[in-house]
Amino acid sequence: MNILMFGDVVGRPGRAVLSEHLREIITEYEADIVIVNGENASGGNGLTLKNAKQLMALPINCITMGNHVWKQKEILDYLDDYPMIVRPINYPDALPGKGIYQFEHEGTKIAVLNASGQVFMEELDSPFGVIERRLEAILDGCDVLIVDFHAETTSEKLAMGHWLDGKAAIVAGTHTHVQTADARLLPKGTAYITDLGMTGPAESVLGVQKEIIVHKMLTKLPARFEIEKAYPRQINGICVSVDESTYRPTAIERICRIYQSPGASSMKR
Ligand SMILES: [Fe+2]
Ligand SMILES: [Fe+2]
């Protein structure tokens, strides 16, 4: 079984490049399952229902979120209606939505878990503590556990990967929007990458027009962030192959595509 995961989809450019190219990537990798981080899919901030429906119209099994999950307030009203959209599990339980989504694929029970880091991020319950309390029940109920750990620091993400090594099939980091070059199988078999990267405008600062961020860095003045609309655009993620009898990952490959213009075929970076 081949599982694709893609890093944070940023704004309209991210939605567009994914809409245009996802199907060909699925065909190329003979993918069975697709997971996309959607926390920045609406103008860089959160996920409107309209944009969620656009993503759900694509062959996507699950949308994970992150610290931007509540930025579009309407999600408070619609999240409970769409269990395939998961928000970090370590937000207060009283909030809408769930931190885990379970589904079946040809008899294999899959669980996708989303958690947020604590280091240099909003203070939430410890992702390690929250997962530890539920881990046995989660593993009892699934064959393949996939974790999107949305965190800032490489250390916190590496620690999560090693802690869940041999328990989760995949631990993939998101949030930094820059793909890391450390995709590998950990010693006990978990497929791991510190950050999947970003799906959106390639020549930008994490999706935002680079001139705005450079000006902000030079002047320290507050600035209104605008998503870069120009090409090139990129798709970042991983493909993980999982053995269907042992449920153990057998390979992980980074996906890092760049598209110079609409309709262009990809170049590998
Ligand atoms: Fe993000
Ligand atoms: Fe984030």
Side-chain angles (χ1 to χ4, degrees):
M1 178 186 353
N2 292 328
I3 301 167
L4 296 177
M5 292 182 80
F6 295 105
D8 307 24
V9 174
V10 175
R12 185 189 295 265
R15 301 192 313 270
V17 75
L18 199 65
S19 301
E20 192 177 350
H21 298 287
L22 178 59
R23 285 183 177 85
E24 74 206 24
I25 295 176
I26 288 173
T27 303
E28 182 182 336
Y29 283 88
E30 298 179 355
D32 302 289
I33 289 162
V34 178
I35 299 160
V36 171
N37 186 293
E39 72 144 7
N40 307 110
S42 296
N45 283 309
L47 184 63
T48 62
L49 180 57
K50 184 179 164 203
N51 294 159
K53 284 181 175 173
Q54 271 182 308
L55 291 178
M56 290 187 289
L58 297 173
I60 290 172
N61 299 83
C62 177
I63 299 170
T64 52
M65 298 296 285
N67 56 307
H68 286 293
V69 57
W70 313 114
K71 289 276 171 69
Q72 301 289 337
K73 291 206 168 41
E74 65 191 68
I75 200 169
L76 293 166
D77 298 323
Y78 79 73
L79 190 56
D80 277 329
D81 297 330
Y82 297 92
M84 69 175 282
I85 306 173
V86 288
R87 48 84 164 171
I89 198 166
N90 48 333
Y91 274 101
D93 285 339
L95 288 173
K98 295 223 169 357
I100 191 159
Y101 173 54
Q102 287 166 292
F103 62 100
E104 272 197 32
H105 174 78
E106 293 176 357
T108 301
K109 285 184 267 180
I110 316 273
V112 182
L113 188 153
N114 187 204
S116 176
Q118 284 182 306
V119 183
F120 304 138
M121 297 184 79
E122 191 177 14
E123 278 186 45
L124 300 174
D125 287 348
S126 162
F128 291 85
V130 171
I131 294 173
E132 188 177 35
R133 286 195 287 281
R134 304 186 192 184
L135 190 59
E136 216 180 279
I138 292 167
L139 291 173
D140 267 357
C142 78
D143 303 314
V144 173
L145 173 61
I146 300 164
V147 177
D148 171 348
F149 188 34
H150 195 81
E152 181 74 38
T153 66
T154 50
S155 56
E156 196 176 15
K157 290 192 262 194
L158 274 161
M160 181 64 77
H162 285 294
W163 181 52
L164 293 177
D165 187 14
K167 298 188 173 80
I170 306 173
V171 176
T174 54
H175 177 68
T176 71
H177 293 203
V178 177
Q179 188 176 68
T180 56
D182 61 342
R184 67 192 191 277
L185 298 179
L186 297 176
K188 293 177 190 162
T190 294
Y192 174 82
I193 187 168
T194 296
D195 207 290
L196 293 171
M198 178 189 74
T199 296
E203 294 307 333
S204 65
V205 177
L206 315 186
V208 176
Q209 288 174 11
K210 54 187 184 293
E211 294 80 8
I212 294 174
I213 303 298
V214 171
H215 185 259
K216 183 175 164 60
M217 295 288 171
L218 284 167
T219 63
K220 305 295 180 189
L221 289 169
R224 200 181 137 86
F225 288 1
E226 300 283 348
I227 299 299
E228 177 60 69
K229 299 198 175 56
Y231 279 77
R233 293 175 180 172
Q234 66 185 37
I235 294 179
N236 280 180
I238 51 170
C239 177
V240 175
S241 303
V242 173
D243 185 297
E244 276 163 52
S245 53
T246 63
Y247 306 124
R248 284 174 71 91
T250 54
I252 176 169
E253 183 182 333
R254 274 192 297 137
I255 299 169
C256 187
R257 298 292 166 86
I258 188 139
Y259 303 90
Q260 295 294 347
S261 58
S265 55
S266 74
M267 296 185 337
K268 288 184 187 178
R269 251 195 180 165

